[in-house]
Amino acid sequence: MTATQWQNILVLCTILGFATMEYVSRRYQNTVTATGNDTKLELFMFLSVLAVTQPLAIFVTSKLGHAWFPDYKNALADWPWWGMVGVLLLADDMTQYWWHRLSHSPLLWPLHRAHHSAEYMSIRVTFRNNFFYYLMMPGLWAAGALLYLGFGGMVYALYIVVKLLVILGAHCAWRWDEPLYRVRALHPLMWVLERTISTPATHWAHHAITNEDGVGHYKGNFGNLLFLWDIIFGSAHITRQYPQRVGLIDDQLFGQERWYHQMLYPVLQSRREHSALRLGGSIFEGPETPLKP
């Protein structure tokens, strides 16, 4: 089998594994309160990343490479695996950290807001974003360029699998790190792990509906594969606890935005009161304490 085929098989196994644990642990049944609006947004965004955005980035960078830099095709294919992984972590994962961090600014928030509008955590939330959020993501285009330069084969395939394993695990309704925190002998290991990769505890804090409880940290914990970027760049918040609620306060106050506005803004714009998904709209600056359920 080719490296791509191995990658697809391992990715599928990873998704099915986490989905199984969400159901076996009953965390999905007890905590995921998705509406039809949520399902459409998550399904169409997953399909768009898989069938449109990622293939488009690879196709365009390949075409531009052949047109402008034909002599550089596979120029770096002989690099050692550790060199490729190091460049991928910088060009893909670190740039994604900064793209994510910038997406919490007023200008780019409408392109990322959909990811935070879910009132639950689950692997189904992983690719829940605006279409243009991924289309403009620097790391995706950098990865396409690196593939043209020869960063393919099993190195890239395994990098993608490991990254998806961590990201799915960080969003999963089944909090895999929770039982490990209870084992005293594992505390040193968990101290290192939670400062290296994204975990449910650190990433759920990023999705919290409020920071008032000392657990939520929606203005930090931006890391995707590596949480180390948060440590280095001063945006980390580690409590080993999980926020009681996730989502957005303005959705509670004014109702959830329609899936097509969340996915296709600014092409389609919301008419909801106090909406960031329309020209002239802004991040909702309301009460820090959310409404009671």
Side-chain angles (χ1 to χ4, degrees), residues 259-270:
W259 69 268
Y260 42 83
H261 294 144
Q262 297 188 70
M263 178 177 175
L264 296 172
Y265 172 88
V267 176
L268 299 178
Q269 298 182 31
S270 173

Side-chain angles (χ1 to χ4, degrees), residues 140-160:
L140 197 61
W141 294 91
L146 291 174
L147 284 172
Y148 176 77
L149 293 172
F151 280 43
M154 288 301 294
V155 174
Y156 184 75
L158 291 176
Y159 171 80
I160 292 298

Side-chain angles (χ1 to χ4, degrees), residues 41-57:
L41 173 60
E42 291 158 0
L43 176 61
F44 288 134
M45 274 309 305
F46 175 74
L47 293 176
S48 73
V49 171
L50 193 67
V52 180
T53 315
Q54 187 177 50
L56 180 64

Side-chain angles (χ1 to χ4, degrees), residues 249-257 272-275 284 291:
I249 293 174
D250 51 316
D251 277 0
Q252 288 193 2
L253 294 172
F254 310 112
Q256 191 179 53
E257 298 275 18
R272 197 193 76 176
E273 184 183 8
H274 300 296
S275 175
F284 179 70
L291 296 180

Side-chain angles (χ1 to χ4, degrees), residues 2-290:
T2 66
T4 301
Q5 289 172 327
W6 274 113
Q7 174 188 311
N8 293 337
I9 290 173
L10 291 173
V11 165
L12 180 60
C13 290
T14 300
I15 293 173
L16 291 176
F18 279 119
T20 299
M21 290 307 301
E22 285 192 340
Y23 271 86
V24 169
S25 66
R26 298 200 61 79
R27 289 284 305 174
Y28 187 91
Q29 299 92 316
N30 295 335
T31 65
V32 177
T33 56
T35 65
N37 193 61
D38 291 313
T39 298
K40 290 173 184 175
L41 173 60
E42 291 158 0
L43 176 61
F44 288 134
M45 274 309 305
F46 175 74
L47 293 176
S48 73
V49 171
L50 193 67
V52 180
T53 315
Q54 187 177 50
L56 180 64
I58 295 172
F59 174 78
V60 170
T61 51
S62 177
K63 288 296 183 181
L64 292 176
H66 281 292
W68 295 346
F69 309 102
D71 295 338
Y72 288 89
K73 174 68 175 176
N74 292 326
L76 305 181
D78 294 331
W79 271 32
W81 68 266
W82 51 266
M84 291 186 180
V85 170
V87 171
L88 284 166
L89 288 174
L90 293 174
D92 173 62
D93 197 55
M94 189 181 72
T95 60
Q96 191 171 352
Y97 164 86
W98 281 108
W99 178 243
H100 186 187
R101 185 165 177 168
L102 288 172
S103 72
H104 281 256
S105 67
L107 178 63
L108 295 177
W109 173 246
L111 302 186
H112 182 56
R113 184 190 183 282
H115 191 64
H116 287 266
S117 64
E119 297 181 359
Y120 48 86
M121 294 297 290
S122 168
I123 59 170
R124 57 184 288 163
V125 176
T126 306
F127 295 101
R128 176 183 173 129
N129 259 303
N130 179 280
F131 175 79
F132 299 102
Y133 176 84
Y134 287 115
L135 189 64
M136 296 167 60
M137 182 182 289
L140 197 61
W141 294 91
L146 291 174
L147 284 172
Y148 176 77
L149 293 172
F151 280 43
M154 288 301 294
V155 174
Y156 184 75
L158 291 176
Y159 171 80
I160 292 298
V161 170
V162 170
K163 181 166 185 173
L164 190 63
L165 178 70
V166 172
I167 296 173
L168 287 171
H171 290 89
C172 190
W174 168 61
R175 304 186 297 215
W176 61 264
D177 57 345
E178 190 171 21
L180 301 181
Y181 285 135
R182 302 192 190 107
V183 181
R184 190 174 185 83
L186 294 179
H187 283 188
L189 174 63
M190 294 304 295
W191 188 95
V192 174
L193 192 66
E194 68 191 355
R195 285 163 176 78
T196 305
I197 64 171
S198 293
T199 63
T202 55
H203 196 69
W204 282 43
H206 176 70
H207 281 257
I209 200 168
T210 178
N211 289 347
E212 284 190 334
D213 59 1
V215 176
H217 191 54
Y218 56 75
K219 295 182 180 179
N221 291 16
F222 299 111
N224 289 272
L225 167 55
L226 294 184
F227 189 75
L228 183 62
W229 305 127
D230 287 284
I231 300 293
I232 293 173
F233 298 118
S235 54
H237 182 62
I238 302 173
T239 65
R240 297 191 174 185
Q241 300 180 60
Y242 310 87
Q244 291 187 354
R245 304 184 66 185
V246 298
L248 296 172
I249 293 174
D250 51 316
D251 277 0
Q252 288 193 2
L253 294 172
F254 310 112
Q256 191 179 53
E257 298 275 18
R258 301 306 300 164
W259 69 268
Y260 42 83
H261 294 144
Q262 297 188 70
M263 178 177 175
L264 296 172
Y265 172 88
V267 176
L268 299 178
Q269 298 182 31
S270 173
R271 296 182 179 179
R272 197 193 76 176
E273 184 183 8
H274 300 296
S275 175
L277 301 181
R278 63 183 181 188
L279 294 180
S282 61
I283 298 176
F284 179 70
E285 298 291 347
E288 182 71 8
T289 303

